[in-house]
Amino acid sequence: MRSPLILPVLLFSVMTVSVACQAQKKANTVKSKPLLQTIAANFEDGAKQYKALKATLPPDRFPKTFYPQTGKSETSGSGWWCSGFYPGTLLYLYEQTGDTVLYNEAERILGVLQKEQYNKTTHDLGFMMFCSFGNANRIQPKAAYNEILLNSAKSLCSRFNEKTGCIKSWDSKDPSDFLVIIDNMMNLELLFETTKATGDSSYYKIAVTHANTTLQNHFRADNSSYHVLNYDVNTGAVKQKKTAQGAADASAWARGQAWGLYGYTVCYRYTKDARYLQQAEKIARFILSHPNLPADKIPYWDFNAPEIPNALRDASAAAIMAAAFIELNQYTKGAAAREYLQVAETIIKHLSGPEYKAAAGTNGGFILKHGVGHKPAGTEVDVPLTYGDYYFIEACKRYKELSK
Ligand code: GLY
């Protein structure tokens, strides 16, 4: 005979588990009030800085960097890989402040950028066109933006090769070379979104093929990634594993690890394929357990930089990691989820302090200081970077928008 106690006991257990799950979800997303105040100030301060940055720009140029020692700004044309970050940051700041000067400036510069939708010489179209037009279309959907995003996705797909299973990053003089860099994972969001917008699965298929090939070949046993892989375009075999922007071929270039972390988190968002979540978590574990990750979680420009502990930090890598960790927190549970959020908080807190956040009216109008662009080439070293600002403001926005 069934005991009369079974039903109430069962009900009680189900309710306890449900309450525990809710409590755990809450614990994973409990937000720091002081940090939310800091973030509110970051939006206001960022808006003022970007209005100052706007005032320095020649009409058809994009911000690139600023050299504090000489007080000189450097700009780029629309074809530079970073041209989407300026409009993207303006749009994020507009959303947070409601300041239409920022929106109007974003619209103006989008007009200069739009011709890049037909650029088939670069893999950076996700950075250039999705961080800009993708945000513009999210805020104020327009048929013209949809068209530009679709053409940009087509241009990006023109660099996909069946034999290698990848989108080509950089062209090379040797016709058998097919160069792919880990950064390219960041361009896949444009393709996933294009499939969502059009219902045409070919973009999605190219994105997952690229992600799968990269997962198979780009990572080392410790889950760090190489920067550049050179595939043989005739056979699809990997010819070389090397670096361009890192300290050494075998080193872990910090921004590369950040791109991989963010990229696989995005792949999981669109596919719900557990392998991508696992890869993002493996990259997270590499970063978070690395003995050279400083206590403030702002990484050195390369985890194996020979100058450590005197190596430069890369604020841009930290900002990208913070934005990615906040999203990864949403897909995970328990201690790991809490750790991702805590690390993001630590990064945002330190980037918001005077060591990394520029004082009003300084830094050429950029928000963050101390980014490292290309250390081996000696370009954009220890300077503000448009992508540092973009992912910093994105991380602040993501933190603010986490459900309580
Ligand atoms: N190639 C993009 C970067 O510097 O991260």
Side-chain angles (χ1 to χ4, degrees):
M1 199 176 82
R2 184 182 293 167
S3 153
L5 271 178
I6 283 186
L7 199 61
V9 166
L10 259 176
L11 258 176
F12 179 74
S13 312
V14 169
M15 279 163 64
T16 312
V17 169
S18 156
V19 169
C21 283
Q22 278 171 25
Q24 179 170 63
K25 194 155 184 249
K26 234 180 166 163
N28 287 341
T29 55
V30 134
K31 291 194 275 188
S32 147
K33 286 218 173 82
L35 191 60
L36 286 170
Q37 283 164 3
T38 299
I39 283 171
N42 289 343
F43 294 142
E44 293 301 325
D45 297 343
K48 286 189 198 123
Q49 284 294 91
Y50 265 56
K51 285 203 234 175
L53 182 58
K54 163 184 175 290
T56 69
L57 278 184
D60 56 350
R61 305 288 294 173
F62 291 73
K64 191 170 177 186
T65 190
F66 171 79
Y67 294 97
Q69 290 86 355
T70 59
K72 287 224 162 73
S73 294
E74 200 171 295
T75 61
S76 79
S78 61
W80 174 241
W81 75 275
C82 300
S83 53
F85 297 121
Y86 175 58
T89 306
L90 288 166
L91 290 164
Y92 277 158
L93 291 171
Y94 160 70
E95 274 185 299
Q96 299 301 327
T97 62
D99 189 334
T100 51
V101 172
L102 302 169
Y103 186 80
N104 293 340
E105 172 63 357
E107 282 232 293
R108 181 194 70 79
I109 202 77
L110 289 177
V112 184
L113 181 59
Q114 64 178 350
K115 64 176 175 292
E116 299 303 329
Q117 65 189 293
Y118 302 113
N119 186 344
K120 295 193 170 84
T121 68
T122 178
H123 75 137
D124 287 317
L125 289 158
F127 286 126
M128 294 158 68
M129 308 307 276
F130 193 73
C131 297
S132 52
F133 288 96
N135 277 310
N137 207 29
R138 181 176 56 75
I139 293 169
Q140 175 76 62
K142 289 185 187 171
Y145 293 155
N146 277 328
E147 188 65 23
I148 290 166
L149 287 163
L150 178 58
N151 287 330
S152 304
K154 284 181 181 163
S155 297
L156 180 56
C157 289
S158 74
R159 299 178 68 80
F160 178 73
N161 174 277
E162 290 283 354
K163 195 60 146 183
T164 60
C166 281
I167 298 164
K168 182 160 61 170
S169 295
W170 295 333
D171 296 338
S172 166
K173 283 193 191 108
D174 181 339
S176 74
D177 284 352
F178 192 96
L179 300 169
V180 181
I181 63 175
I182 188 69
D183 323 27
N184 206 344
M185 287 300 301
M186 296 297 286
N187 295 307
L188 305 183
E189 190 171 359
L190 169 65
L191 302 185
F192 286 124
E193 280 293 330
T194 304
T195 286
K196 251 174 84 176
T198 62
D200 179 347
S201 63
S202 62
Y203 303 97
Y204 181 103
K205 282 185 190 147
I206 287 178
V208 297
T209 305
H210 182 96
N212 293 343
T213 309
T214 299
L215 200 157
Q216 192 179 324
N217 297 325
H218 240 96
F219 291 90
R220 306 183 180 107
D222 66 1
N223 298 308
S224 66
S225 53
Y226 290 93
H227 184 202
V228 187
L229 256 62
N230 187 6
Y231 293 87
D232 185 323
V233 76
N234 300 309
T235 64
V238 177
K239 294 200 284 186
Q240 288 170 298
K241 298 186 175 192
K242 52 187 186 171
T243 197
Q245 284 165 260
D249 290 344
S251 76
W253 175 49
R255 201 162 52 255
Q257 312 317 303
W259 293 143
L261 177 74
Y262 193 118
Y264 279 98
T265 304
V266 167
C267 285
Y268 180 70
R269 185 201 305 160
Y270 288 99
T271 63
K272 297 294 170 219
D273 184 332
R275 286 175 307 158
Y276 298 148
L277 182 59
Q278 276 160 18
Q279 193 61 29
E281 291 224 78
K282 284 180 185 175
I283 301 167
R285 201 45 46 212
F286 171 82
I287 292 168
L288 297 177
S289 61
H290 201 287
N292 290 341
L293 183 68
D296 61 11
K297 314 297 179 195
I298 314 293
Y300 295 107
W301 70 277
D302 189 304
F303 282 90
N304 310 103
E307 324 86 77
I308 290 173
N310 300 314
L312 292 169
R313 307 291 194 89
D314 179 13
S316 77
I320 298 156
M321 287 174 186
F325 277 130
I326 295 169
E327 182 167 4
L328 197 52
N329 160 276
Q330 299 290 287
Y331 305 145
T332 48
K333 291 198 187 95
R338 275 194 295 283
E339 187 183 11
Y340 301 149
L341 196 60
Q342 279 160 6
V343 170
E345 288 174 339
T346 303
I347 292 174
I348 294 173
K349 185 176 121 195
H350 285 279
L351 291 182
S352 305
E355 178 58 23
Y356 289 98
K357 194 177 124 182
T362 69
N363 209 33
F366 290 87
I367 300 167
L368 292 184
K369 304 179 275 183
H370 305 308
V372 176
H374 196 324
K375 179 79 168 47
T379 52
E380 295 151 55
V381 176
D382 201 19
V383 290
L385 296 165
T386 51
Y387 40 101
D389 285 1
Y390 176 85
Y391 289 103
F392 175 56
I393 295 300
E394 182 178 89
C396 290
K397 170 177 150 63
R398 285 184 173 188
Y399 189 78
K400 181 185 157 186
E401 289 173 2
L402 274 175
S403 54
K404 289 176 196 97

